[in-house]
Amino acid sequence: MNKTLSQSSLTKSFGVSLPLSTEYPTLKDKELTDKLEETLRKYNVFETDAELRHRMDVLHKINTLYKNWIKEISISKNMPEDVAEKVGGKVCTFGSFRLGVNSQGGDIDTLCIAPRHIDRCDFFTSFAELLKKQPEVQKLLVIEEAFVPVIKTEFDGIELDMLFARLSFSTIPDDLDLKDDTILKNLDQKCVRSLNGCRVTDEILTLVPNVETFRLTLRTIKLWAKKNGIYSNALGFLGGVSWAMLVARICQFYPNAAPSTLVNRFFKVFSQWLWPNSQNNINGCPVILKQMPSFEEMPPYGFPVWDPRINPADKYHLMPIITPAYPQQNSTYNVTYSTRTIMIDEIKRAYETCQEIFNSKCDWNHIFEPRNFFQRYKHYIVLIASTPVKDQFMDWVRLVESKIRHLIQNLEKNQYISLVHVNPQGFDQIKESKDTEDAVENDESDNNEPRIITTYSTLWFIGIELKQNNEVMDLNLTDIILNFKDMIYKQAQKVLISYPQFDAKYVKRTRLKEYLPLSILKIESKSSKASKIDKMGAENSSTNGSLEHKTKSTNNNLENGDDAANTKNENKDKLFSNRDYFSPSSDSSDSMFVFNQEKNGISRQNSTNSVLSPNLLQKPEFFLDSNSNGSVNNQSKKRSLSPGPDPNTNKKSKEMNYSNSTQALQEHFRKQEELLDSLPIPSTAKLINQQTISAVKNSLRVNISCNKK
């Protein structure tokens, strides 16, 4: 026992707890790490030396330009020139570039630090104008009213996000230590938020046991998160700093492990992590990299700190990941119930893949293969933000994207919705249309050709998962959509966006091809499927020469049975011709949708119609047990159409091979048609008491009219 205590006392602690394991990597771990790095290079996550030198040159130019600007502004404010030469100024980096995990084509997050006599308005006006005059600047966007004000620009091919912070110092030395809490004295909230990015990044690098191991692991996790569509802080997922802190916590748990082991442990630990406000645990546990100071040790600057004991709102955070620098904040404030569920499911799926990788059943490429978002759900909502003004298009898109999480939270509150999944990828579209109104006004003139209007649009897709129950659901989303529309229009007026346009439409899975090409949806067309079937048939016929005679006889039977098959299809069309099934129109803004949850069927009805059509009462009872495509169920697990059980049914089904014997298949359909003609029409009372009631219980009505005023 004394030996155990002595060993534990010698174990170095990282973070707020002791390591879970201090084992060193094995030969297999090193081999898997080499394969992991080789796989990452295929995805261009590493920068070349030339690209890195180019980034450093851009940062040097920006730093020189910023210092000269501070000098000119100081002189314009009646400061002597010799004093203005010494006030200094500094441009710092943070985020992925500061952590050393920036990928090819990535942006650089920068912080511009100024002395106390430089105002924020000077930076967002005078310095922004100076940037516009530079020949290397291709784009420039000033967002002064954001939660963290920023200037977005592209300088010599490198995208830059430039924040601003004014310190209470008269001069800014080049060796300024941003980790010192005293620099926060007499600062406002916006400056503290801007400084927090650099302070958190520097703290993370000092809190991990091995920086190089941390970087390779973080590159893997970031690529995995982006490929699986769970990398977006604005939409309720995790951003770059949140993923970095999760990886840093795993590095603290396993300080000596190889990156391949850390990736595996990352998915294992956080697939089992007990988050607050979950079904199994209300309290839960946040992710903390550094011990938070007590009330006595807290710096006396009065900034709010994440603490559920003091701030009641902090108790309701779903996935708290606390920043290590003062003032400690939750970096995952935007996470919702749906986004947390989606991320945990993806982590669990990735852990299963890692187990297969360590068992040599697959390689690292499989961990970066995402699931098809457009095949995961039956119901979708399409958000469309558009404007004819090209210069303000990106402003409008960013505004709408920043508010989508509010729409997700409101949709989650609906009693019939269990999950709301937004795809972080937006799809841009450019459409040209003729202005017919302008042509009508100028009809009397000689040149009455309509004017061409170009509309720039971005589409977001939201997957909806409904709760499974047997009650009648009247799911009306009109108010939620209209409230969201009013909110973003009010924000557009504040930032002076001209001609903002927004629309939301319900789309079922089979109608997504009207908005996106099949290459993006990853759905094969009927012609490609037919060609694959023909190819497979040709391969089978070429490899199985002994079955050539049987194949020829089957083809002859198919040719002889075309008329019978056509007659069968015509009879089915006649049987279902009177059913009130219509395909929903994606252009309709005020329509009632009816979903059959058990059979995946869908129909559209007018809001004034009844759920059950009067014609339904005149149908035989078995019509209520039909598939969504209109065919009658006659499988072994479904209800049989015959009046009574046939003891020889199982024996016949074993003897018949429907896939190879076309003649037996035709005989089977003929007997079914005879059974359909011989069945009596049941009484109306019987239908109402049995099948009609079950049909009502298994239906869902949805009204999603976003344009309704």
Side-chain angles (χ1 to χ4, degrees), residues 221 223-231 237 243 263 266-268 270-271 319 338-354 366-373 376-377 419 421-422 424:
I221 298 302
L223 178 62
W224 164 81
K226 292 178 180 179
K227 290 292 184 179
N228 288 273
I230 53 175
Y231 190 96
F237 298 104
W243 290 116
V263 171
F266 176 91
F267 295 124
K268 180 180 180 180
F270 291 114
S271 64
M319 207 171 180
S338 294
T339 54
R340 183 179 69 177
T341 302
I342 294 165
M343 287 187 287
I344 293 176
D345 289 343
E346 291 296 337
I347 290 175
K348 291 180 179 179
R349 189 172 70 93
Y351 176 62
E352 295 176 356
T353 306
C354 280
H366 287 75
I367 205 173
F368 304 119
E369 294 179 357
R371 285 187 288 182
N372 191 349
F373 172 80
R376 293 179 63 174
Y377 306 100
L419 188 70
H421 186 181
V422 57

Side-chain angles (χ1 to χ4, degrees), residues 259 323 483 527:
T323 57
N483 292 336
S527 59

